[in-house]
Amino acid sequence: MKAPNTLLANTGTTIFTVMSALALEHGAVNLGQGFPDADGPADVVKAAADALLDGRNQYPPLTGVPELRAAVAAANRRFWGIEADPATEVVVTSGATEAITASLMAVLDPGDEVVLIEPLYDTYLPVVKMLGAVPKLVRLEPPKWELPRAELAAAFGPRTKAILMNSPQNPCSKVFTAAELAFIAELLQKHDAYAVCDEVYEHLTFDGWRHIPLMSLPGMRERCMRIGSAGKTFSLTGWKVGYVTAPPKLAAIVAKAHQLLTFTTPPNLQRAVAVGLAKPDAYFEGLAAGLQAKRDRLSDGLARLGFGVLETRGSYFVSADFRPLGFAGDDVAFCRWLTETAKVTAIPVSAFYSESGADAAAAPRHYARFAFCKHDATLDLALARMEAAFAARGAEGAGRALTA
Ligand code: PMP
Ligand code: GLN
């Protein structure tokens, strides 16, 4: 028989599924895959349940129910000062995952170049390649993850069609600064390129760091497809409701891609997310403040255990260097050891780097990513388990090689 699609056949199961399965197998506290262990606001969940019972369960409009498109437009204005026409500039999708693919489909032709920033979310590269486009990777370096301007400028060229960027960023929890965004905006204008802006963690920023949508910068309104996720904004990751805000010409093409991918998104969830987006500012502030306290709890605990903990300015995640603990193995081996022995699961940060290309071997392999969007008791249990496992390992380890 002829081989099926080569790229998909060679794509591994996502690291999030792999590590969640391993966590289950070993009864580990799962701080790997990024999902909160408490559901979001009860009134939003109830709105979804009520909407199932009121007889509107057939295909909703292709670009989303009017209530949600209006709510997305209102949220753009309220939080970011972006004016968007709900009728022509908002497309609702089945999660940000679909929104990212649909936005890339909307602008890329085979052979176009796309600038991507490592570390990167796991769907980006395969989708760019599936579309026949050519990825141009630029790498942020720990511990500060600052934008390497010269490398970024060098990645742009006459064939650049778009940049795909993520801020606040998973996994390194960077929030792009106004100056970095201005630099990107200048490159986009110089090279007449688009931006697909994955902003799923737009409301999850800490310590006074504030998310700035690239779309809100001068000259960027016409070039950006700005993506949000109800999963992250309302702690309901299983719902998979995403939304793209884009100028009318682009939004119309994103809608064509959505038409081919899923056509519509469950109407009851859409109506409930509209209720959520209309919540007062206090809800959004409380969400960030609650997560900031959890970040502190986990970061402080990891530092006490001896990890080299990196700064987390946004998102659900803290990354920590495990070398100070005496582990000489790589992050995949460490995360496996941690799950099997300490019964705590984290994600190896190297999973967020391309496996091929000139720089693949130089990707960092000494960070584990821990999700802190969990009950305090869960975070405490994970820390206690790690403390016990490190102590046991230390007691037993004198004579053997300190590899994970
Ligand atoms: N982008 C990033 C950076 C993410 O971390 C996630 C997490 N799930 C997504 C996109 C996907 O969002 P959704 O669940 O809405 O598809
Ligand atoms: N975005 C989540 C994370 O980074 C996982 C989403 C998924 O499992 N696909 O952990």
Side-chain angles (χ1 to χ4, degrees):
M1 281 214 290
K2 286 180 181 158
N5 178 269
T6 318
L7 208 135
L8 291 177
N10 291 333
T11 299
T13 301
T14 162
I15 187 72
F16 309 116
T17 298
V18 169
M19 294 312 289
S20 281
L22 201 67
L24 207 61
E25 185 187 332
H26 292 278
V29 177
N30 190 357
L31 304 187
Q33 193 176 25
F35 61 91
D37 58 3
D39 277 354
D43 55 346
V44 175
V45 175
K46 182 165 185 311
D50 290 348
L52 279 179
L53 298 173
D54 77 359
R56 282 175 55 182
N57 290 300
Q58 309 310 324
Y59 296 127
L62 167 69
T63 56
V65 300
E67 301 94 304
L68 180 53
R69 280 186 277 123
V72 170
N76 268 306
R77 181 184 312 117
R78 168 159 59 135
F79 296 112
W80 318 119
I82 294 171
E83 295 295 331
D85 176 355
T88 60
E89 296 191 301
V90 176
V91 181
V92 177
T93 57
S94 295
T97 307
E98 187 201 347
I100 293 161
T101 298
S103 299
L104 290 169
M105 286 171 75
V107 291
L108 296 181
D109 279 319
D112 285 343
E113 291 179 359
V114 184
V115 177
L116 298 160
I117 298 176
E118 283 183 315
L120 39 67
Y121 189 58
D122 72 337
T123 69
Y124 294 1
L125 257 184
V127 171
V128 165
K129 289 183 187 165
M130 283 291 291
L131 294 172
V134 180
K136 292 280 170 188
L137 294 169
V138 176
R139 187 170 287 182
L140 307 177
E141 295 293 344
K144 297 209 152 171
W145 310 109
E146 280 161 349
L147 192 68
R149 296 188 184 198
E151 282 92 330
L152 187 72
F156 277 78
R159 293 171 60 192
T160 305
K161 186 61 101 40
I163 186 170
L164 167 51
M165 59 170 293
N166 173 215
S167 182
Q169 195 174 33
N170 175 9
C172 59
S173 309
K174 170 190 176 68
V175 178
F176 280 69
T177 64
E180 288 174 330
L181 293 169
F183 187 76
I184 293 171
E186 207 177 294
L187 288 171
L188 291 174
Q189 279 183 311
K190 180 171 168 201
H191 295 279
D192 185 20
Y194 297 102
V196 177
C197 303
D198 178 348
E199 301 180 6
V200 299
Y201 299 105
E202 60 190 325
H203 292 291
L204 311 187
T205 56
F206 315 128
D207 307 322
W209 280 93
R210 215 175 129 65
H211 170 61
I212 305 171
L214 181 65
M215 184 180 244
S216 66
L217 270 68
M220 289 296 101
R221 182 64 179 80
E222 298 308 306
R223 295 188 180 276
C224 291
M225 286 151 279
R226 193 181 97 70
I227 295 168
S229 165
K232 303 299 182 316
T233 299
F234 301 106
S235 306
L236 294 161
T237 59
W239 279 22
K240 302 297 282 188
V241 177
Y243 19 89
V244 186
T245 305
K249 274 192 193 147
L250 284 179
I253 308 181
V254 172
K256 296 273 174 56
H258 174 58
Q259 169 182 311
L260 301 183
L261 289 167
T262 57
F263 178 47
T264 58
T265 298
N268 68 313
L269 300 181
Q270 291 195 50
R271 290 166 68 197
V273 171
V275 170
L277 284 174
K279 280 182 159 302
D281 291 355
Y283 164 75
F284 298 88
E285 288 156 11
L287 177 69
L291 279 166
Q292 179 173 322
K294 291 180 183 302
R295 176 210 58 181
D296 290 345
R297 195 177 195 96
L298 184 62
S299 297
D300 293 351
L302 290 171
R304 258 196 322 274
L305 294 183
F307 283 94
V309 179
L310 299 190
E311 191 187 354
T312 291
R313 294 177 175 172
S315 86
Y316 282 157
F317 309 111
V318 59
S319 293
D321 183 350
F322 49 81
R323 289 173 306 183
L325 293 159
F327 284 86
D330 70 8
D331 55 352
V332 173
F334 176 76
C335 289
R336 180 167 277 278
W337 178 88
L338 200 69
T339 300
E340 291 173 352
T341 310
K343 312 276 184 225
V344 175
T345 296
I347 301 284
V349 167
S350 62
F352 296 82
Y353 289 79
S354 169
E355 285 171 1
S356 57
D359 290 339
R365 292 184 196 280
H366 51 275
Y367 292 105
R369 190 201 76 173
F370 295 86
F372 50 78
C373 45
K374 305 289 175 185
H375 292 303
D376 287 352
T378 308
L379 299 176
D380 292 347
L381 176 62
L383 290 165
R385 284 186 177 185
M386 283 191 275
E387 185 169 16
F390 296 152
R393 186 174 185 277
E396 151 211 349
R400 71 188 168 87
L402 281 179
T403 54

